Amino acid sequence: MMWQDLIFLAGSVLSIVFLAPTVRDVTANIPLASSVPSMTIGAVYAVTYATMGMRFSAVGSLGVAVMWSLIVSYRSPGPHDGPANVGRFVRSLLRQARRSGTETATENEYTAPGQSAD
């Protein structure tokens, strides 16, 4: 076992301890734009640590990902609860991307007075 494995585990355990009050607080409203990326990063770290043979770090990061997934599911603003919030977040990102894509194309086509279109 590498000493770094224990350091990463300690960091994950602290994150879990600090996230626990948010999971328990029924009035907490954590935006999906914060919680979904944090959940995803925790899961990616868990897989990455596991492939490096850092089992303790992988378990700790998986615990962090689980805590964030609980926050995603039960502490996001809005009328819906559960894992479907991830889908709602992804759909909203896609809508925003489509909107900004059409706005950007329109803005790029605009030529200011006194400028050539070249």
Side-chain angles (χ1 to χ4, degrees):
M1 172 178 34
M2 301 183 325
W3 64 270
Q4 295 93 335
D5 199 13
L6 294 175
I7 298 298
F8 290 132
L9 172 63
S12 294
V13 168
L14 280 175
S15 293
I16 291 167
V17 168
F18 295 142
L19 290 171
T22 302
V23 172
R24 289 193 313 247
D25 183 358
V26 295
T27 64
N29 282 315
I30 309 301
L32 291 173
S34 298
S35 55
V36 171
S38 296
M39 175 191 71
T40 304
I41 290 168
V44 168
Y45 281 5
V47 170
T48 303
Y49 287 137
T51 62
M52 294 170 59
M54 299 174 76
R55 291 186 197 112
F56 293 117
S57 298
V59 169
S61 290
L62 184 60
V64 170
V66 167
M67 293 299 281
W68 277 112
S69 69
L70 291 171
I71 292 169
V72 165
S73 296
Y74 301 107
R75 298 298 176 247
S76 66
H80 305 290
D81 276 349
N85 283 339
V86 174
R88 286 182 37 233
F89 175 71
V90 170
R91 285 190 299 278
S92 78
L93 281 181
L94 293 173
R95 279 193 303 273
Q96 289 174 4
R98 273 189 240 120
R99 266 189 254 131
S100 75
T102 58
E103 290 171 6
T104 303
T106 305
E107 291 170 5
N108 289 339
E109 293 170 5
Y110 173 75
T111 304
Q115 287 186 328
S116 71
D118 297 328

